Amino acid sequence: MSPTSAKPKVLLLGSISHASTAWSALGELAELIEPTATNRAEFIQECKDGKLDGVVAIYRTIFSTSITGLVDEELVNIMPSSLKYIAHCGAGYDQIDVHACSARSPQIRVSNVPTAVDDATADVNMFLILGALRNFNTGMNALRQGKVLGILGMGGIGRNLKKKAEAFGMKVIYHNRRKLSDELSGGAEYVPFNVLLSTSDVISLNLPLNKNTRHIISKAEFAKMKDGVVVVNTARGAVMDEAALVESLDSGKVFSAGLDVFEEEPTIHPGLLSNQNVMLVPHMGTWTSETILAMEEWAIENISMALQVGKLKSPVPEQADL
């Protein structure tokens, strides 16, 4: 960029709570702006009026949906033609229609923060397992009995959880889209989906939400589980059919559940609220100061790399070949 050329614009959707220094430094590369809109209709009008023309990159958080709503096909196609990158500050990016971003001309490349959340979320995972398995205080005794933990989705959080669970004496099996190398899996046993369902004492959901994983756990899957199984979800609420979970809890098929995420956040199914065998945490998996700082700095680095070298540090898997 020559000294006389105008800086590209970067739009902030949401807020920077911890990485203010890194965000300020980004101002050396770009003009940092914020929308005036306070809701989706206003944001769409702001785009139509050309007020966001020249925006090359967007930094967004999950809370920015209060301004824009979901980044769906309608929103993608109304955004300024100058937009090339969306840096999402989070591991899960189900609020963004990546297919629409890829299909748009010019394309919008999307990045997430794939590993910064691993340790803190796995901590909450383990906390929920302990609490749900034997209703809080007696959970430690149950874990020492060699319970089998089945991890559905062996990404960074799942692998981190595997190490923590083994420290409590649990045997760990997992199912993934594909089997991991022995080095990456840490020796955890890979099993088919149905085997994981039928042999696990505890099932932990650690997979992203997309069209293939929505309600991956529903009535048919609960029926294949052991009687008295414990189910824990720190992924996204909609990977599990909450109505089917409530039904399985009421019947005793599921002994207890530990949930950090819900299908219709912030609304929680009344059957979960009324069941004393359900441990509820209000989506707190990533909420440590260290994790938020790491996430924000990572997302800012995605924008910085995009502006300087035209590449994202961590493009989402759907766009890895773009």
Side-chain angles (χ1 to χ4, degrees), residues 51-243:
K51 294 180 179 178
L52 300 180
D53 287 358
V55 168
V56 174
I58 291 175
Y59 173 108
R60 78 175 298 276
T61 71
I62 60 172
F63 302 109
S64 66
T65 53
S66 64
I67 300 172
T68 66
L70 297 178
V71 183
D72 53 15
E73 186 174 7
E74 178 191 26
L75 204 66
V76 166
N77 290 332
I78 207 72
M79 284 180 171
S81 60
S82 56
L83 182 63
K84 296 180 180 179
Y85 305 100
I86 296 178
H88 174 64
C89 186
Y93 50 91
D94 47 283
Q95 295 178 340
I96 303 172
D97 187 335
V98 176
H99 176 75
C101 290
S102 300
R104 197 188 87 152
S105 181
Q107 290 176 322
I108 300 172
R109 303 198 178 195
V110 181
S111 63
N112 68 332
V113 179
T115 60
V117 305
D118 292 355
D119 196 44
T121 305
D123 283 346
V124 172
N125 236 129
M126 202 64 231
F127 171 72
L128 288 171
I129 289 173
L130 291 170
L133 189 58
R134 285 295 184 273
N135 287 329
F136 307 104
N137 293 331
T138 56
M140 297 290 289
N141 292 329
L143 289 174
R144 292 192 178 98
Q145 293 171 11
K147 296 291 184 179
V148 175
L149 169 63
I151 299 176
L152 183 56
M154 196 70 156
I157 295 171
R159 295 194 297 272
N160 193 297
L161 173 62
K162 178 255 182 192
K163 296 176 183 177
K164 289 178 167 65
E166 286 181 336
F168 287 99
M170 300 188 82
K171 176 186 176 182
V172 178
I173 61 177
Y174 77 97
H175 179 76
N176 227 26
R177 285 182 299 176
R178 59 184 65 88
K179 183 178 180 180
L180 302 179
S181 67
D182 290 342
E183 180 180 5
L184 202 56
S185 69
E189 181 185 356
Y190 176 83
V191 297
F193 183 36
N194 286 342
V195 173
L196 183 136
L197 294 176
S198 63
T199 60
S200 299
D201 298 299
V202 180
I203 295 177
S204 178
L205 308 184
N206 299 96
L207 67 172
L209 174 63
N210 55 48
K211 64 181 181 180
N212 296 317
T213 62
R214 181 175 294 275
H215 284 193
I216 193 170
I217 301 295
S218 193
K219 286 186 178 182
E221 288 70 37
F222 282 119
K224 296 174 183 176
M225 296 178 190
K226 284 185 175 182
D227 291 340
V229 68
V230 171
V231 177
V232 174
N233 187 8
T234 59
R236 284 292 186 268
V239 300
M240 181 163 53
D241 182 343
E242 277 189 0

Side-chain angles (χ1 to χ4, degrees), residues 8-13 23 30-36 46 51-57 59:
K9 295 178 182 179
V10 173
L11 178 66
L12 175 62
L13 293 177
W23 180 253
E31 178 186 353
L32 308 179
I33 66 172
E34 298 183 37
T36 59
E46 200 168 347
K51 294 180 179 178
L52 300 180
D53 287 358
V55 168
V56 174
Y59 173 108

Side-chain angles (χ1 to χ4, degrees), residues 265-278:
E265 293 182 16
T267 302
I268 301 176
H269 194 294
L272 297 176
L273 290 171
S274 63
N275 194 310
Q276 297 302 304
N277 288 335
V278 180

